[in-house]
């Protein structure tokens, strides 16, 4: 399926993640989470055609909330409830930040043993890599 040009306006974190993986769907944790076929590969091709390679390809910047999540983990928070309390956001809002952090971690070499429960592996990885 081709993504209409009107939806391809800028590079997103997900598109950059896909680009960095070479648009290889096999082994991508997003594929395991989606209930339908992923359309990111088509979007990445359109973005490259329209905008060229992403500018921040080698320099992924964390948002303020994502930095707070990492700091909470480094300060001992291990569960979503503990992290959300430390950051001061709801667990539901926290999930969107964590999903992006999983993508960054995977691109940096983090291995997730259970794609349905990635938080324990992510917490261990953060404490090992970000100290």
């Amino acid at each position: 399926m081709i993504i209409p040009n009107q939806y391809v306006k800028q590079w997103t974190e997900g598109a950059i993640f896909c680009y960095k993986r070479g648009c290889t769907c096999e082994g991508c944790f997003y594929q395991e989470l989606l209930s339908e076929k992923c359309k990111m590969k088509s979007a990445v091709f359109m973005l490259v055609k329209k905008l060229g390679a992403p500018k921040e390809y080698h320099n992924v910047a964390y948002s303020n909330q994502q930095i707070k999540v990492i700091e909470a983990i480094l300060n001992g928070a291990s569960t979503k409830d503990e992290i959300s309390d430390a950051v001061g956001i709801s667990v539901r809002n926290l999930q969107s930040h964590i999903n992006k952090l999983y993508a960054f971690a995977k691109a940096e070499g983090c291995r997730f043993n259970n794609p349905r429960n990635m938080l324990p592996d992510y917490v261990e990885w953060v404490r090992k890599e970000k100290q």
Side-chain angles (χ1 to χ4, degrees):
M1 175 178 204
I2 302 295
I3 302 290
N5 196 22
Q6 69 190 39
Y7 296 113
V8 182
K9 296 184 180 194
Q10 65 183 18
W11 283 102
T12 63
E13 292 169 7
I16 292 170
F17 174 73
C18 185
Y19 178 86
K20 287 173 80 171
R21 287 184 43 81
C23 297
T24 305
C25 296
E26 186 177 331
C28 179
F29 76 93
Y30 282 123
Q31 182 177 354
E32 296 170 10
L33 297 174
L34 296 173
S35 61
E36 55 187 51
K37 186 166 172 47
C38 178
K39 300 174 183 94
M40 186 59 77
K41 186 174 186 176
S42 296
V44 168
F45 287 170
M46 292 290 289
L47 283 163
V48 170
K49 185 177 179 181
K50 187 175 181 178
L51 304 173
K55 303 279 188 275
E56 60 255 82
Y57 173 49
H58 291 291
N59 187 17
V60 175
Y62 294 108
S63 71
N64 289 337
Q65 290 288 27
Q66 291 166 345
I67 291 169
K68 289 179 183 178
V69 169
I70 292 169
E71 289 172 349
I73 291 169
L74 291 174
N75 289 329
S78 297
T79 66
K80 288 180 186 176
D81 288 331
E82 292 171 348
I83 296 168
S84 70
D85 287 345
V87 175
I89 58 176
S90 69
V91 173
R92 186 179 189 135
N93 192 2
L94 172 67
Q95 188 62 49
S96 67
H97 297 295
I98 288 179
N99 287 340
K100 292 174 185 174
L101 289 169
Y102 290 161
F104 291 152
K106 187 145 185 171
E108 292 178 27
C110 179
R111 301 270 182 215
F112 294 103
N113 295 320
N114 182 353
R116 300 244 182 245
N117 185 13
M118 296 164 49
L119 185 60
D121 293 326
Y122 180 72
V123 167
E124 181 181 328
W125 181 83
V126 165
R127 290 182 178 154
K128 197 181 314 177
E129 294 293 318
K130 302 295 183 188
Q131 286 288 354

